[in-house]
Amino acid sequence: MTIPHAGLGVVGFTVAFTLIMSDYSSQAQIKPEGFHRIIDGSQVDLYTLKNSNGIEATITNYGGIVVSLKVPDRNGKLGDVVLGYDTLNDYIGSTPYFGALIGRYGNRIAKGRFTIAGVEYQLAQNDDSNALHGGRKGFDKVVWQAEKVGSSEGPALKLTYTSKDGEEDYPGTLRCTVIYTLTNKNELKIEYFAETDKPTFVNLTNHSYFNLKDGGASDILGHELMIRASKFTPVDKGLIPTGQLKPVAGTPFDFNKPTAIGARVENEDEQLKFGEGYDQNWVLDRQGKDLELVASVYEPSSGRFMEVLTTQPGLQFYSGNTLDGTNQGKGGTVYQHRAGFCLEAQHFPDSPNHPDFPTTELKPGEKYTQTTVYRFTAK
């Protein structure tokens, strides 16, 4: 089937396409050989997806990491909008989850404990006294089996991984599939699927850090963020939800109207102090269970505009608070404080210990699914 060329928002397609292609050829490329190696007996590589409009994503099957994502600005000039590294070695070293798939459980679980089917489980406490992002060796640090697949929407990469019963102390063998599709509508679409043979908890997400201006060379405080949410889940000092659903009205957490990330991030607010900035979960105002637009970000100088659509009930917004200049990324760029932001679509943190939160329990015979889309235009 012939796929029609998608437009680029306000940027006219013919002009934008010409500019994209001419600019693309002059950009330095991440070298695939920097990712070609064997880890734990499995082959790691770098895979490139390029849609009919010339935008490009590179993804490695180590951790399912989105290494680069090049999208056009208002003049059609391609630019990388995610933080990351030039080589696999840097990802294996110290990294704040740049671009990675997160599992089995994205975000925090209090004291690394939960009870399921009457049995208490103790997980590794890798974030002070809490469990974070799946443990010491979460899905961000394993090798996924990779296969490039055809799709009517655009080029796609299918990743599969089987997490054995007891891995990182989680119950049940969990068979996972994640499909990245770079659609011809200029979207990075991420579909997640999982099945288990024992009751377990699952909360999968992606931890890409975005900077729509310059890929992390400067801060993201001027980016204008919108989140469709009338409540958020306040946290304690350990960033564990209190269980309350607090209205955002009248607080620095109200992003129902597009607001610069830096406008209130330094306000005298207990929740901002706990997170050293934004690092909370927003309770999305959803109309159903299907894919819905829940957030957007506009960067004024480049004109890049990113929309987030998801099937999930929550969105963790993190404003890059712990970036401090110690991470030297692609092209030698040093990522300073708040050089990137994350919008992680997921279930709420610590849901296994909050029965009033939407459940993250997965039982044998059930199928876990979630879809999140990052859509790019320019204006």
Side-chain angles (χ1 to χ4, degrees), residues 1-2 5 13 17 19 22 40 54 75 126 144 148 180 200 227 231 250 255 265 330 361-362 368 376:
M1 185 176 77
T2 302
H5 292 300
F13 173 75
F17 184 72
L19 288 168
S22 62
D40 296 333
N75 297 313
N126 62 321
W144 296 66
K148 292 186 80 170
Y180 285 105
T200 193
I227 303 176
K231 296 179 181 179
F255 284 95
V265 70
K330 289 171 285 188
E361 183 177 355
L362 183 68
Y368 170 93
F376 296 91

Side-chain angles (χ1 to χ4, degrees), residues 100-106 177-180 188-195 202-207 284 286 289-292 294 308-316 343-348 359-360 362 367-374:
L101 292 179
I102 303 297
R104 286 189 189 191
Y105 199 94
T177 299
V178 176
I179 301 175
Y180 285 105
L188 182 64
K189 180 180 181 180
I190 314 174
E191 299 169 280
Y192 307 77
F193 308 89
E195 295 182 81
V202 183
N203 191 28
L204 307 181
T205 191
N206 177 274
H207 209 297
L284 298 172
R286 298 182 49 81
K289 294 184 178 180
D290 295 332
L291 194 66
E292 294 181 28
V294 299
V308 183
L309 301 88
T310 190
T311 59
Q312 293 295 279
L315 187 71
Q316 185 83 10
L343 291 173
E344 305 157 69
Q346 57 190 260
H347 273 63
F348 304 169
T359 184
T360 54
L362 183 68
K367 294 184 178 181
Y368 170 93
T369 63
Q370 84 111 313
T371 301
T372 296
V373 172
Y374 299 98

Side-chain angles (χ1 to χ4, degrees), residues 91-157:
Y91 287 104
I92 294 172
S94 178
T95 175
Y97 302 96
F98 285 147
L101 292 179
I102 303 297
R104 286 189 189 191
Y105 199 94
N107 223 306
R108 294 171 174 84
I109 296 177
K111 299 180 181 178
R113 295 178 192 163
F114 61 74
T115 299
I116 193 168
V119 179
E120 183 176 283
Y121 292 87
Q122 178 64 61
L123 311 174
Q125 296 167 308
N126 62 321
D127 180 58
D128 294 326
S129 63
N130 303 316
L132 176 66
H133 292 336
R136 293 191 177 97
K137 188 178 181 181
F139 289 179
D140 61 297
K141 298 179 180 68
V142 301
V143 180
W144 296 66
Q145 295 302 306
E147 176 188 4
K148 292 186 80 170
V149 294
S151 164
S152 61
E153 295 180 285
L157 181 69

Side-chain angles (χ1 to χ4, degrees), residues 214-234:
D214 50 31
S218 62
D219 66 50
I220 46 81
L221 299 179
H223 287 54
E224 298 170 5
L225 172 66
M226 184 279 293
I227 303 176
R228 289 181 176 173
S230 54
K231 296 179 181 179
F232 75 107
T233 52

Side-chain angles (χ1 to χ4, degrees), residues 320-327 334-338:
N321 312 313
T322 59
L323 296 176
D324 59 4
T326 59
N327 298 103
V334 176
Y335 298 135
Q336 302 290 351
H337 193 218
R338 297 185 176 133

